[in-house]
Amino acid sequence: MTTSSAPPVAPAPETASTKDPATRPRRRGRTGKPPSALLSRAGVTALLALATLYTLLPLTWLLLSSTKSREDLFGTNGFAPGDEMHLAENLRHLFTADDGIYLRWVLNTVAYAGVGSLLASVFSVAAGYAFDKLTFPGKERLFSLVLLGVMVPGTAMAIPLYLLAAEAGLVNTFWSVFVPGLVFPFGVYLARVFSAAYVPDEVLEAARMDGASEFRAFCRIALPMLAPGFVTIFLFQFTQIWNSFFLPLVMLSDQDLYPVNLGLYVWYSSALSQGHPEDYLLAVVGSLVSVAPLIAVFLMLQRFWKSGMTAGAIK
Amino acid sequence: MASPSTRGQRRTAALLLSPFLGLFAVVTLAPLAYAGWLSLFTTRTSGLGFGGTESVFAGWDNYVHALSDPEFRDGFLVIAAYCAVYIPLMIGGALALALLLDTGLAKARSFFQLALFLPHAVPGLIAALIWVYLYTPGLSPVIDLLASGGLDINFLSADNAVFSAANIAVWEWTGYNMVIFYAALQAVPRETLDAAKVDGAGALRTALSIKVPMIRPAVALSVLFTVIGSIQLFTEPKVIYNASSAIGSSFTPNMYVQTAAFQNNDFGLAAAASLLIALFAAVLSFAVTRFSRRGSKS
């Protein structure tokens, strides 16, 4: 295994080779031959810093570019500040362009991703719990169907969905993008894992003894225990819908229905193909404005996404 | 078990499952079935082209057409090349970074975790917009930097488009998978690691012979999701396509489908090609699952 070719940054070969001696002494116990702990500590930290540079530089570019005027955007170095601070003007331009359509796109995205993933999480948790805790005929066969759903890629479904929506007269409506987001097979899989881990059978048994109905046991006892799993599933589906591009591109032609992604793409394409350089700046500032809250949400909910990703990985 | 309780469980299961299963049927199963039906038909212009179009049963023609179309097949070759670059780099990188974090030597570990994860919070489209700027000659500080070092690269040429798209995906997904691997590494039993140390294994040896094999299921799952994701490749090349004349409108299978449907209005072909992509993804993920399961048993 070539772990030494690790960081996906191009100019790294010399630094990478220093890694082997660097990693040798592990945790507290240092025995025998290791080189100085300071050196190894520095080596490991340097490698991580290099990878961090690679992840942060493009974001730095986005942040800096959003503060530039159009002339500076194309005229100054992308990793350096522009000659004048232009952020306020850019933001004003962003929110007033095309009669303030950007705000409309943001609200659409909140509806598609926020409301959509909230409902999708409720449905997933209910289904996952049923698969884990209840007995009913055909259970495992139905669950394999769900797993099939996990394996069929969402993007490959966009055209079949479009064809069906066209038949039903739903193309270019809010529902054509909203409804597909409500279905999250991987969420059902995760919810089953969570239910097995978080909801002890004994507690349910006790509730049944006390005469609680199955539905009541789910609502009053299991659901609160599943709350962290719920947040995780919500976050997964939220990013998925927020990220989706192919489906809205195929379904929507009315700009008023666009999510942010599609709107930014249209600005970006018109900047390139129709020679509207001012639209390029809009796409850049619009990107920053839509990414910033997402990053904030991730920072706040760190605990949940970490635990969720782990639950998916280690069964 | 008393039968009223069984009945209660069945009724509740039906209640809890029906929203998901109902929507699943509408959003996944029905479109698949409808696309399957449509894929068997082709539209022909009747008469001399004045009389409108009619739908004609075509049997497997659309599938044969797609499979024998070099543009469609080339799309899969692009995906194969893309996977060959992207998966080892991304999974290897994520694994290496997770192992580095797990040595416990680095300072500011939680800062690094977060900074490396951050690109994942950026939607793929926006990531592509950022990187395409960094790929564009005359604008990109990266190209200027490389050129001053005597390295002239055209990131947007046909040959490099695969690597350029792979780099965007590496940027987006390495930190995400690193977090997964790091969490899995922390679940490796301390005693096993202590035993290795007693046996005289160095950190590198411990990493390669003990830690990596022990988190194999997590790695296999990541590879599976990465493969499924790669087959869907669309956003990044679509954005690159806008900036570069070098890549065609059927660069990847999904782009082929979109072109067939909306530029050529050949919905039968688009449906057949979509189903082939979905089938390919399902078969491949089944194979990956099977393979990794057998590997972890031995």
Side-chain angles (χ1 to χ4, degrees), chain B residues 66-284:
Chain B
L67 286 172
S68 59
D69 188 344
E71 286 207 55
F72 186 59
R73 285 193 312 219
D74 286 353
F76 283 97
L77 291 181
V78 165
I79 298 289
Y82 170 83
C83 284
V85 177
Y86 165 50
I87 294 182
L89 211 58
M90 190 278 279
I91 297 286
L95 203 52
L97 290 171
L99 288 168
L100 283 174
L101 279 175
D102 193 55
T103 57
L105 286 169
K107 292 177 180 168
R109 250 168 294 164
S110 53
F111 163 76
F112 281 128
Q113 265 198 76
L114 209 59
L116 291 166
F117 178 82
L118 220 48
H120 185 68
V122 178
L125 181 97
I126 292 174
L129 290 183
I130 297 175
W131 276 102
V132 163
Y133 181 95
L134 297 176
Y135 290 155
T136 305
L139 294 179
S140 165
V142 176
I143 291 183
D144 292 347
L145 199 72
L146 291 175
S148 67
L151 211 60
D152 281 315
I153 297 182
N154 179 2
F155 289 105
L156 299 174
S157 74
D159 289 343
N160 292 339
V162 169
F163 299 100
S164 300
N167 174 58
I168 301 174
V170 166
W171 185 73
E172 280 219 82
W173 289 95
T174 304
Y176 175 88
N177 285 290
M178 178 204 70
V179 172
I180 293 180
F181 297 162
Y182 182 54
L185 281 172
Q186 298 201 311
V188 171
R190 200 43 50 92
E191 306 84 62
T192 316
L193 298 175
D194 288 342
K197 201 184 290 164
V198 170
D199 288 348
L204 189 65
R205 183 71 201 273
T206 314
L208 295 184
S209 311
I210 295 172
K211 290 184 184 177
V212 172
M214 286 197 86
I215 64 163
R216 201 185 153 124
V219 177
L221 199 73
S222 285
V223 171
L224 173 65
F225 280 117
T226 307
V227 168
I228 299 179
S230 301
I231 295 167
Q232 313 185 53
L233 187 63
F234 178 78
T235 307
E236 292 87 350
K238 182 80 183 165
V239 172
I240 295 175
Y241 170 73
N242 265 304
S244 155
S245 54
I247 73 169
S249 63
S250 306
F251 191 62
T252 70
N254 269 326
M255 288 171 79
Y256 178 91
V257 167
Q258 197 217 1
T259 306
F262 297 106
Q263 272 174 37
N264 307 333
N265 288 316
D266 194 343
F267 289 114
L269 179 63
S274 279
L275 290 177
L276 286 170
I277 297 170
L279 185 72
F280 187 69
V283 168
L284 207 61

Side-chain angles (χ1 to χ4, degrees), chain A residues 129 204 207-208 212-223:
Chain A
Y129 171 85
L204 286 180
R208 283 169 191 155
S213 73
E214 287 295 332
F215 187 68
R216 211 182 145 80
F218 168 70
C219 294
R220 290 292 169 84
I221 296 166
L223 215 48

Side-chain angles (χ1 to χ4, degrees), chain A residues 197-209:
Chain A
Y198 293 164
V199 185
D201 290 338
E202 297 79 19
V203 179
L204 286 180
E205 216 42 65
R208 283 169 191 155
M209 290 295 206

Side-chain angles (χ1 to χ4, degrees), chain A residues 67-116:
Chain A
T67 67
K68 291 178 182 178
S69 66
R70 182 152 51 92
E71 293 73 31
D72 283 356
L73 178 66
F74 295 108
T76 58
N77 187 304
F79 296 136
D83 295 331
E84 48 175 327
M85 185 65 187
H86 220 259
L87 181 62
E89 286 91 326
N90 288 345
L91 287 174
R92 199 172 313 132
H93 187 192
L94 175 71
F95 284 105
T96 52
D98 294 338
D99 296 325
I101 199 161
Y102 181 79
L103 196 63
R104 169 108 211 184
W105 293 339
V106 170
L107 294 177
N108 289 342
T109 308
V110 169
Y112 292 131
V115 181

